[in-house]
Amino acid sequence: MQITEQEVRTGLRRGRYVTTARVETAVFVALVLEKPLLVEGPAGAGKTELAKVLAEMLSTELVRLQCYEGLDEARALYEWNYQKQLLRLQADRTLEAGSSWQTLSKDIFSREYLLERPLLHAITAERRVVLLIDEVDKSDEEFEAFLLEVLSDFQVSVPELGTIPARHRPVVVLTSNRARELSEALKRRCLHLYVDFPGVEKEAEILALKVPEADEALREQVARFVGRLRKLDLKKAPSIAETLDWCRALLALGIAALDAAAVRQTLSLLLKHEEDIRKAEPKIASALSDSRR
Amino acid sequence: MREALTEFLREVRAAGIPVSLAEGIDALRAAAAAGVERERLREALAAAMVKDEIDRPTFDEVFERFFSSGSPRRPKKRRVAARGAAGSAGSGQQSSGAPPARPEWPRRTAAPAVRDAERRRAGEYPREVERRRARRLLLAKPFRELDPLEAEELSALAEEIASRFRGRMRRRLRPAARHGRLDFRRTLRRSIEHGGAALELELRRRRPGRIDVVALCDVSGSVRHATDFFVALLGPCAGLLRSLRVFAFIDHAVPATIEAGRLIPETVMDFHAFSDLGQTLVELEFHYASALTRSTLLLVLGDARNNRRPARADVLGRLRSRVRAVWWLAAEPRVRWGTGDSAIELYRLHCDAVLECADAGSLLAALERLAR
């Protein structure tokens, strides 16, 4: 694919995605090599967002396949629309008795009666799309093996129809939280990118983009405080989205500068586990004194 | 450039990062696309070569070393020699006169080598990677080497793993209804709603898994951790099996139940007794033979260290003829089997499978076989 790194950089920026050189290069290489990009990192660090912005950047459609335990081919690839087939048969019977079996079977096993699921849709779309396979670690090993086949050939075989090759190779982004180890084979076929939480400056930059109403001092404080929280050994570190929510909540409450009382009042927006809140509470004061500096 | 990159690829492999041939080619293409600007080159190569963030610090180190000292073609130092085979350690550094002997590249990574590197690098990773690294180490650590703190961490981890394990078991033992056979009666009944067209197919649900499991767990000190882990995983799956009976033993077979992931013997046990599996088997045969049927899978978890008491493998042989299969989950590394007072070689003759379960990871893998 013809694209320059400069275009990637401006594209991501236009999509209001604050990022590092690392992400830019990885995305660029993935686009040029036309390889799937496997994005890993903690929950809420912006993995899914990256795919969305990528679709926006290439001004194309985002096809999303959310993985979960028990996801199977019928949900991911295609399924015959049995009800419609049946109705067709019945309608046929009442209309005319003469139609031959051949035309009929050709008819009811045609594309019209095929329910396209995300993978098939991504392959047969009119233009190149961005295919996001979200949380691939949540799927089963069996599904992963099946995915491998699709990702290496970009074609799908439907027994009744034959092989359907891809019209355009979709840009594939896989995300994973490492709920389990992915197979070596899958990792080999993908380029790898690790997205960590942004540093304090980057996070302040994100806040400036997404919550421009907040003044700069507050944004800075929020970014610093959240950065400190993430250093604690928490069950679930606050995600970027939670930071944004928190900042908006502070604004709504009319809090212009962080103090211990305000933090305590709103901490449940950042930390969603009771344990984490208990762990963080005694450290609020020290984290705040740091974040003022 | 290609030559330099090939050389670099070799260095990366030598440092213990597994890079396949295809990934090597990707790396070359990535480098060609990204150009020679240092930062970009590094990220492009890393994207193609490093598939696990755990390896990233090692990669960066090699990159620094390789591309820092002047021309990339001539890496000044080869520290690899020091890490590689001890025999060639000296030769790599000599530079004068004769061309330096090429140090022996260690072969493609063995897993333990990676783990060593991981151990060395504690604290250099992002928090989340760090946690995963610790978890992986814990799962790979032999039960007998766990200290009390680690044992506690392991039991917390077991709880977490257990729920996912249960989900996997459930899906394998009871596949979703969509794969079942047509339930004609129910389909017809539903079709009445649609004027006789069978728009909604009702499928016959599969019956619950047909496995009866009888588990015989050694609770003596030497295998305690293994038993705890085993029970924590098996307990939540009880509802998926047709039946589950658990016996705890040290020198007697004691019926037990699993409550909240813990093994609770029904009577008082003498925890200071010496293990006696022979006696246990005799008791199992005498008192509880009714629990053993043609559909039973008998699991024995233990190290088969019998304190030189009679092994009574013949009893196990008779039990085997009553049940579907006998699996031995050996809580000891294979190298120690048959040493000292281990009677496993005698029992082995009467087992359908003897699985090495010296650490949590392999015990988990052994349990996964239940659903196959």
Side-chain angles (χ1 to χ4, degrees):
Chain A
M1 178 184 175
Q2 291 297 317
I3 195 167
T4 63
E5 194 161 2
Q6 189 58 40
E7 281 165 22
V8 171
R9 192 171 306 144
T10 49
L12 290 179
R13 208 150 287 167
R14 211 171 333 114
R16 303 205 301 167
Y17 191 80
V18 176
T19 183
T20 56
R22 188 172 179 179
V23 175
E24 284 161 11
T25 309
V27 168
F28 167 69
V29 170
L31 288 176
V32 172
L33 267 57
E34 297 192 323
K35 289 219 128 202
L37 182 65
L38 171 63
V39 189
E40 291 191 299
K47 301 186 292 294
T48 306
E49 190 65 22
L50 177 62
K52 289 186 189 160
V53 171
L54 201 57
E56 200 177 307
M57 180 178 111
L58 301 171
S59 45
T60 179
E61 184 191 354
L62 177 75
V63 179
R64 181 171 178 169
L65 174 65
Q66 173 70 45
C67 296
Y68 52 87
E69 284 186 40
L71 174 66
D72 58 6
E73 286 181 43
R75 296 261 169 246
L77 194 56
Y78 74 89
E79 208 171 6
W80 286 108
N81 190 344
Y82 160 75
Q83 279 84 358
K84 202 170 171 186
Q85 287 174 328
L86 195 72
L87 285 177
R88 170 69 211 272
L89 283 175
Q90 300 226 324
D92 230 48
R93 201 187 299 159
T94 51
L95 284 180
E96 34 153 353
S99 74
S100 75
W101 164 248
Q102 274 202 330
T103 48
L104 186 63
S105 68
K106 208 180 249 170
D107 249 23
I108 61 171
F109 287 113
S110 65
R111 290 292 277 278
E112 197 191 333
Y113 295 89
L114 201 63
L115 285 178
E116 278 188 0
R117 303 290 188 204
L119 283 181
L120 187 61
H121 178 67
I123 282 180
T124 55
E126 290 291 332
R127 49 195 298 206
R128 193 180 44 185
V129 298
V130 174
L131 172 63
L132 166 64
I133 303 175
D134 215 359
E135 307 195 332
V136 64
D137 53 332
K138 295 248 171 73
S139 66
D140 311 310
E141 276 106 4
E142 293 87 349
F143 182 75
E144 198 183 305
F146 155 76
L147 202 58
L148 217 56
E149 194 188 315
V150 176
L151 288 186
S152 55
D153 299 342
F154 286 104
Q155 61 179 29
V156 167
S157 58
V158 180
E160 293 86 350
L161 286 180
T163 306
I164 305 175
R167 285 196 188 165
H168 303 277
R169 254 173 180 244
V171 175
V172 185
V173 178
L174 301 99
T175 74
S176 151
N177 285 324
R178 286 278 187 150
R180 69 175 169 83
E181 285 291 313
L182 298 176
S183 74
E184 287 297 320
L186 184 69
K187 284 194 272 184
R188 265 206 306 277
R189 277 178 183 69
C190 302
L191 294 174
H192 185 266
L193 170 66
Y194 186 85
V195 177
D196 204 355
F197 286 121
V200 172
E201 278 111 74
K202 289 275 175 201
E203 188 140 37
E205 214 175 301
I206 296 172
L207 281 168
L209 267 176
K210 304 264 166 143
V211 198
E213 316 82 276
D215 66 69
E216 202 184 328
L218 181 65
R219 291 198 302 250
E220 187 87 350
Q221 274 189 337
V222 165
R224 264 177 216 279
F225 184 77
V226 173
R228 281 292 305 243
L229 272 189
R230 291 203 185 115
K231 290 214 178 82
L232 300 177
D233 187 21
L234 299 174
K235 258 185 140 163
K236 161 88 181 59
S239 67
I240 296 174
E242 282 165 331
T243 312
L244 296 176
D245 284 348
W246 189 48
C247 194
R248 288 194 191 109
L250 290 174
L251 278 182
L253 289 168
I255 297 168
L258 283 183
D259 56 52
V263 170
R264 215 159 271 142
Q265 196 185 339
T266 52
L267 197 59
S268 57
L269 280 165
L270 282 180
L271 302 175
K272 308 288 165 80
H273 286 276
E274 194 54 35
E275 268 174 77
D276 287 352
I277 293 183
R278 240 175 288 141
K279 200 180 259 177
E281 252 174 357
K283 309 220 165 102
I284 290 176
S286 70
L288 273 179
S289 67
D290 271 20
S291 67
R292 282 216 192 89
R293 226 173 286 146
Chain B
M1 191 63 191
R2 185 165 39 192
E3 206 177 297
L5 284 174
T6 323
E7 184 81 356
F8 176 66
L9 175 63
R10 240 193 313 254
E11 294 254 358
V12 171
R13 280 189 186 144
I17 301 173
V19 183
S20 72
L21 185 62
E23 285 168 318
I25 295 169
D26 284 346
L28 286 180
R29 287 175 60 204
V36 291
E37 199 262 310
R38 189 185 163 78
E39 187 80 356
R40 280 163 59 178
L41 180 64
R42 185 176 66 205
E43 295 308 330
L45 287 174
M49 287 175 167
V50 183
K51 299 299 164 77
D52 191 333
E53 195 61 12
I54 280 175
D55 291 329
R56 190 57 204 258
T58 312
F59 174 87
D60 284 345
E61 198 178 281
V62 175
F63 186 90
E64 281 305 315
R65 176 155 37 90
F66 192 85
F67 289 102
S68 62
S69 44
S71 142
R73 271 163 208 260
R74 274 167 198 267
K76 286 223 168 100
K77 270 195 288 183
R78 284 231 184 87
R79 283 220 321 248
V80 183
R83 277 201 217 161
S88 63
S91 57
Q93 256 86 357
Q94 293 168 6
S95 52
S96 58
R102 184 166 263 273
E104 268 179 46
W105 304 107
R107 293 290 136 221
R108 215 183 136 89
T109 27
V114 177
R115 291 207 202 101
D116 279 343
E118 286 175 28
R119 253 179 223 121
R120 266 208 330 267
R121 299 187 163 278
E124 278 184 40
Y125 303 102
R127 160 138 264 132
E128 184 255 359
V129 178
E130 178 69 37
R131 196 175 294 178
R132 196 157 47 76
R133 187 191 72 93
R135 175 174 299 193
R136 217 155 82 175
L137 290 180
L138 195 59
L139 280 181
K141 188 155 187 173
F143 286 117
R144 38 184 288 126
E145 289 172 20
L146 295 176
D147 61 34
L149 194 69
E150 285 171 328
E152 212 165 282
E153 278 169 23
L154 184 62
S155 77
L157 180 59
E159 232 171 83
E160 213 184 298
I161 294 177
S163 69
R164 276 218 310 281
F165 176 68
R166 183 179 191 282
R168 265 199 311 275
M169 290 279 284
R170 197 190 61 227
R171 276 195 311 284
R172 293 214 183 125
L173 292 174
R174 299 184 189 177
R178 66 169 62 234
H179 297 300
R181 273 171 40 205
L182 186 70
D183 188 331
F184 197 67
R185 246 169 59 168
R186 276 173 47 222
T187 305
L188 271 189
R189 208 177 297 150
R190 285 302 291 264
S191 75
I192 294 170
E193 295 170 22
H194 307 294
L199 279 188
E200 283 163 86
L201 297 183
E202 292 288 332
L203 299 176
R204 196 165 291 184
R205 304 202 191 273
R206 286 263 296 252
R207 283 205 238 135
R210 298 250 177 78
I211 323 175
D212 292 299
V213 173
V214 173
L216 197 55
C217 307
D218 192 342
V219 291
S220 63
S222 54
V223 279
R224 184 75 231 204
H225 295 320
T227 304
D228 285 348
F229 190 76
F230 173 75
V231 166
L233 287 181
L234 197 60
C237 296
L240 299 174
L241 307 167
R242 194 159 70 183
S243 72
L244 171 66
R245 289 202 70 175
V246 190
F247 295 91
F249 75 90
I250 294 178
D251 57 345
H252 293 286
V254 177
T257 52
I258 301 177
E259 280 160 36
R262 274 170 208 290
L263 194 64
I264 315 285
E266 280 173 12
T267 55
V268 181
M269 295 185 74
D270 175 10
F271 282 97
H272 297 287
F274 290 106
S275 299
D276 186 351
L277 192 60
Q279 177 65 24
T280 306
L281 287 172
V282 169
E283 285 179 15
L284 189 69
E285 187 186 31
F286 192 75
H287 295 296
Y288 306 107
S290 62
L292 305 171
T293 66
R294 294 305 302 269
S295 62
T296 303
L297 173 63
L298 177 61
L299 298 176
V300 186
L301 174 69
D303 55 4
R305 297 211 168 260
N306 228 11
N307 299 300
R308 307 200 187 276
R309 290 172 171 167
R312 299 303 305 268
D314 56 315
V315 181
L316 188 64
R318 282 203 298 279
L319 292 181
R320 184 192 186 184
S321 67
R322 300 184 58 107
V323 301
R324 194 172 79 178
V326 178
W327 290 6
W328 197 290
L329 309 178
E332 253 193 343
R334 195 177 288 265
V335 287
R336 290 173 51 89
W337 292 2
T339 61
D341 60 347
S342 166
I344 198 156
E345 297 301 337
L346 295 174
Y347 292 126
R348 187 178 198 162
L349 303 171
H350 302 291
C351 292
D352 296 273
V354 181
L355 306 168
E356 185 184 9
C357 302
D359 53 63
S362 52
L363 183 51
L364 183 63
L367 278 172
E368 300 249 350
R369 289 176 56 149
L370 275 179
R372 251 171 235 162

